[in-house]
Amino acid sequence: MSKGTSKRVHARVATWAALAAILLSIASLDGCTSAKKLVYFQGATSKDDTIAIAEPFIPTIKKGDVLSIQVSSLNAEASAYFNPVSMAEAAATANGTNPLARTVGYVVANDGTIKLPLIGQVAVAGLTNAKAGDLISSKLKNYLKEPTVNVRNLNFRISVLGEVSRPALFTIPTEQITIPEALGLAGDLTIYGRRDNVLVIREEGGKRIFTRLNLTQRDAFRSPYYTLHPNDIVYVEPGKARATSVDRAYQLAPILTGILSIIAIIATRR
């Protein structure tokens, strides 16, 4: 083997060795998370291992809510007079308007009422959507034949923040959502998210309540915070592995820079 060929071989070996060192350094950043900490709802599995299903959460209307109210009757033309907001909502959807930015709907005033065509003010705060629909329907009988009313809350929203794949504010059209469903919308927790200490922030009775759930245990199903309420905030905090990986990244940065410099020097001498 000639002297020039030997130098080229040694240069290639040195280059591959440097690359291997970089890969090993990067791989070491992700080796600190225990697999057991990533498993949801741990426990024995048998036919007798059951948890009672809680009663479904039925939200009530509050001041500041934005309501969609759709009226129908035997006379479709007459019903359309009571649906100006519904028609505007449909137009906004057709135009591709961001649903979070839409303002169409009946806003519940501070006194708990909404104002409808002909009927005037209707007190709806504290009622479920079904009860509010029945109340409005009873008032419409003076104007329509066999009216039916469908009421929906347009601003039933929850926020999912922290160590999840897609943190965001989500509008929930069904008005029913659990923590696993909310985390599913957000793309699930990252490998660094703490599944044993998920924070739920809820506004209730003029206060903010802070509660933590351990999603690695099945007792989470029994929590009154397992089913989310409007305006709940779900926050997933980072674990120690995230902080460790960041610290190691800062520690390894000079080393990696040096390795890359060596590779550059070797490459220029080839």
Side-chain angles (χ1 to χ4, degrees), residues 100-112:
L100 295 182
R102 273 189 258 139
T103 57
V104 294
Y106 293 97
V107 180
V108 181
N110 287 333
D111 61 359

Side-chain angles (χ1 to χ4, degrees), residues 54-189:
E55 290 293 322
F57 167 65
I58 302 177
T60 56
I61 298 170
K62 298 178 177 62
K63 63 180 181 180
D65 284 349
V66 182
L67 304 180
S68 167
I69 299 176
Q70 286 188 303
V71 178
S72 59
S73 70
L74 295 179
N75 189 332
E77 187 175 347
S79 300
Y81 178 79
F82 295 92
N83 294 319
V85 172
S86 297
M87 290 186 291
E89 182 184 2
T93 303
N95 292 332
T97 305
N98 183 348
L100 295 182
R102 273 189 258 139
T103 57
V104 294
Y106 293 97
V107 180
V108 181
N110 287 333
D111 61 359
T113 65
I114 55 174
K115 191 171 183 179
L116 298 173
L118 291 182
I119 300 174
Q121 287 186 320
V122 181
V124 294
L127 301 178
T128 64
N129 288 349
K131 291 291 185 183
D134 291 342
L135 176 61
I136 296 169
S137 179
S138 67
K139 294 179 179 295
L140 286 173
K141 288 181 180 178
N142 294 329
Y143 308 97
L144 300 173
K145 292 182 179 180
E146 298 184 22
T148 58
V149 179
N150 180 43
V151 178
R152 288 194 307 114
N153 188 341
L154 296 178
N155 65 338
F156 189 114
R157 300 171 185 170
I158 54 104
S159 301
V160 184
L161 308 173
E163 283 292 336
V164 293
S165 298
R166 296 186 298 273
L169 174 68
F170 299 99
T171 299
I172 312 302
T174 60
E175 302 182 23
Q176 294 285 334
I177 189 168
T178 63
I179 279 191
E181 291 170 335
L183 295 175
L185 287 176
D188 201 5
L189 281 71

Side-chain angles (χ1 to χ4, degrees), residues 39-44 49-56 178-181 195 212-228:
V39 179
Y40 292 109
F41 313 125
Q42 297 174 37
D49 185 25
T50 61
I51 295 176
I53 298 176
E55 290 293 322
T178 63
I179 279 191
E181 291 170 335
R195 288 149 176 80
R212 295 183 181 272
L213 277 73
N214 183 352
L215 296 184
T216 66
Q217 301 298 319
R218 295 182 185 178
D219 285 343
F221 287 104
R222 297 188 176 95
S223 171
Y225 293 85
Y226 176 78
T227 299
L228 299 177

Side-chain angles (χ1 to χ4, degrees), residues 35-48:
K36 189 173 182 180
K37 293 181 180 179
L38 303 179
V39 179
Y40 292 109
F41 313 125
Q42 297 174 37
T45 302
S46 69
K47 65 179 181 179
D48 298 321

